[in-house]
Amino acid sequence: MSRLIGTFLGKSILLAERVLHKDGSTFPGKFVIKLFPKYLSKLKYPKDVIMVTGSSGKGSTTKIIANMLRNCGKTVCHNLEGSNMIRGIASTMLKHVTWGGKIPEDVIVLEVDERYLKEVTKYITPSLIVLNNLTRDQPPRQGNYDLVYREIEKGITDSAELLCNGDDPITRQVVLKHPEKFHSFGINRLDTDFDDLPTAVKDCAYCPKCGKRMNYGWYHYGTVGDFSCPSCGYSRGTVDYAVTAADTKAGTVTLNEKLKICVNPPLLFHMYNLAAAYGVADLMQLSPEKVAESLNVEVISEKIYNRLEKKGRTFVSISCKAENNATYNLAHYYTLKQPGEKVLVMGLREISRRYSHFDLSWIYDLDMEALNVPEVQEVICAGPYAADFALRCKLAGFAPEKIKTMETLEGLAKELKRTTGDVYGILNFDYIPPFLEEVNQYK
């Protein structure tokens, strides 16, 4: 009876929100779970339930997987809005559940917050858990990646297969406890890799298994790459589903030496998302032809990456995640590898919407030193924390005349008139729309 009442109340709230044009809130799920805490455990789910978690890239990966499954003829229940905690997931289920308590789709694909995986798997049993990466992310909320990993471990169920980023020594340690159901995805060595990190920030320099210092053959970024422990043998080893070749000029990657996929632009994080989706496809025994057809048309959202040509200049926006040095550093390294002179725009409006802390310690994990090269003409720091970003640039050795500050992005188009070179907006997601507005005003 509680299931029927919960479904009725939840669907009624959803209908009211639709009428009031407030679709997408987590309130329906929050309300129903408050009344019936075990509501989700009373629903009937399909055999295939895929959960994607990790520090970053969850939303993009679930979208690619959901699109791929649909292209292969599957019906999919997906929390597309990105509400990835228990109440948001409950709201997604309420949209799909029948009056008989069944989720009728063939597959459920869920983006799940890494700290809340254990809360979700308490009620919904996954068939496959995809673990993207773990980095120093939102320190005031998360603490450190070891704490987060232990929270993820609590959410791993006995029946779930595990598909993890094999290039990441933090996520790969899943194999130590669950070798029989462990599968990995990753990227083999690329021309753009580092023999040594250009930054002193190394998240996982010591072996998760024995605690001794690890060696690296090469780095993709951070401590993601070809790691190995000379003491106990813990290492990257062979990755099951890998980008085995990448042609950045042609905009293609090859998966497991047999499936060529178009990627434009060939950004590292997008390659990881495609490799993860390819692993899901193989584990689910989907048609390789249909998978290739789907992955070939996947494009990065303009909210994440956008490239425009105006008045002989290139304008690029790259969305980064505040309180996460890895996303910024990936944007830095991508920018540095582009030809020509550059003007950088950096900033954000708000650090977090989840808590009142205004922690800025994470900007000292950004590899600003790598950007201090002759090709970078100027760094424009904008927003409420412009002075903090400017100070970080100064500490990285930038000459004072190469650092500019703006209280907001308003007037950026006019400011850029006095500069030359291509413009790269390396910004938190909340500053991407105003940046693009200014670019559109550039004449």
Side-chain angles (χ1 to χ4, degrees), residues 210-327:
C210 73
K212 299 295 176 63
R213 191 173 184 88
M214 293 189 294
N215 296 329
Y216 272 79
W218 39 265
Y219 299 86
H220 287 316
Y221 69 93
T223 45
V224 172
D226 183 27
F227 60 89
S228 61
C229 176
S231 179
C232 70
Y234 179 69
S235 67
R236 175 185 185 265
T238 302
V239 173
D240 299 315
Y241 306 104
V243 172
T244 49
D247 186 334
T248 54
K249 290 184 179 178
T252 62
V253 298
T254 304
L255 297 165
N256 279 14
E257 299 182 347
K258 56 187 178 184
L259 198 66
K260 186 170 279 191
I261 302 296
C262 294
V263 286
N264 194 15
L267 295 170
L268 200 67
F269 63 80
H270 188 48
M271 294 186 203
Y272 272 116
N273 297 342
L274 292 173
Y278 178 63
V280 171
D282 187 73
L283 291 170
M284 293 186 67
Q285 299 181 334
L286 301 178
S287 161
E289 293 77 18
K290 286 289 185 181
V291 170
E293 183 182 286
S294 179
L295 297 185
N296 264 306
V297 298
E298 278 295 340
V299 294
I300 298 174
S301 166
E302 290 185 355
K303 295 178 181 178
I304 297 174
Y305 177 94
N306 203 351
R307 185 183 188 93
L308 299 167
E309 306 290 334
K310 294 198 73 173
K311 297 291 182 180
R313 298 179 78 175
T314 299
F315 295 83
V316 175
S317 64
I318 306 175
S319 177
C320 302
K321 185 180 180 184
E323 302 180 288
N324 185 302
N325 73 81
T327 61

Side-chain angles (χ1 to χ4, degrees), residues 136 201 203 321 323-330 362 365-366:
R136 274 191 272 186
V201 177
D203 282 343
K321 185 180 180 184
E323 302 180 288
N324 185 302
N325 73 81
T327 61
Y328 275 86
N329 287 338
L330 277 169
W362 56 277
D365 290 341
L366 305 186

Side-chain angles (χ1 to χ4, degrees), residues 97-169:
V97 68
T98 66
W99 292 109
K102 181 181 179 181
I103 305 299
E105 283 79 8
D106 299 323
V107 188
I108 296 175
V109 179
L110 296 175
E111 172 192 345
V112 183
D113 182 273
E114 56 273 28
R115 291 286 294 274
Y116 281 78
L117 180 68
K118 63 184 186 297
E119 299 300 326
V120 177
T121 59
K122 194 186 298 182
Y123 304 110
I124 305 174
T125 302
S127 57
L128 175 63
I129 297 173
V130 180
L131 181 49
N132 266 1
N133 53 65
L134 282 175
T135 58
R136 274 191 272 186
D137 179 58
Q138 299 179 320
R141 181 172 83 97
Q142 305 279 36
N144 62 59
Y145 59 79
D146 281 329
L147 294 175
V148 177
Y149 178 78
R150 289 199 286 272
E151 292 299 296
I152 288 174
E153 269 283 352
K154 295 173 185 175
I156 295 176
T157 58
D158 292 336
S159 59
E161 294 290 310
L162 303 171
L163 178 61
C164 303
N165 186 334
D167 299 344
D168 185 344

Side-chain angles (χ1 to χ4, degrees), residues 18-161:
R18 203 169 298 127
V19 171
L20 296 171
H21 304 289
K22 291 185 177 180
D23 237 357
S25 86
T26 61
F27 180 71
K30 181 181 178 181
F31 181 81
V32 170
I33 286 175
K34 185 74 173 176
L35 288 179
F36 307 109
K38 295 183 179 180
Y39 173 77
L40 287 174
S41 66
K42 298 179 184 299
L43 304 185
K44 302 168 190 173
Y45 301 101
K47 176 176 68 73
D48 293 313
V49 178
I50 302 166
M51 297 184 184
V52 181
T53 193
S55 296
S56 55
K58 300 182 289 292
S60 297
T61 304
T62 53
K63 175 178 170 288
I64 292 170
I65 292 171
N67 289 344
M68 176 183 71
L69 289 166
R70 291 189 184 102
N71 194 58
C72 291
K74 306 282 188 182
T75 54
V76 181
C77 169
H78 171 211
N79 58 336
L80 180 61
E81 295 86 0
S83 300
N84 58 18
M85 296 185 187
I86 191 74
R87 59 193 184 188
I89 289 169
S91 293
T92 297
M93 295 304 114
L94 285 166
K95 289 179 181 178
H96 292 262
V97 68
T98 66
W99 292 109
K102 181 181 179 181
I103 305 299
E105 283 79 8
D106 299 323
V107 188
I108 296 175
V109 179
L110 296 175
E111 172 192 345
V112 183
D113 182 273
E114 56 273 28
R115 291 286 294 274
Y116 281 78
L117 180 68
K118 63 184 186 297
E119 299 300 326
V120 177
T121 59
K122 194 186 298 182
Y123 304 110
I124 305 174
T125 302
S127 57
L128 175 63
I129 297 173
V130 180
L131 181 49
N132 266 1
N133 53 65
L134 282 175
T135 58
R136 274 191 272 186
D137 179 58
Q138 299 179 320
R141 181 172 83 97
Q142 305 279 36
N144 62 59
Y145 59 79
D146 281 329
L147 294 175
V148 177
Y149 178 78
R150 289 199 286 272
E151 292 299 296
I152 288 174
E153 269 283 352
K154 295 173 185 175
I156 295 176
T157 58
D158 292 336
S159 59
E161 294 290 310

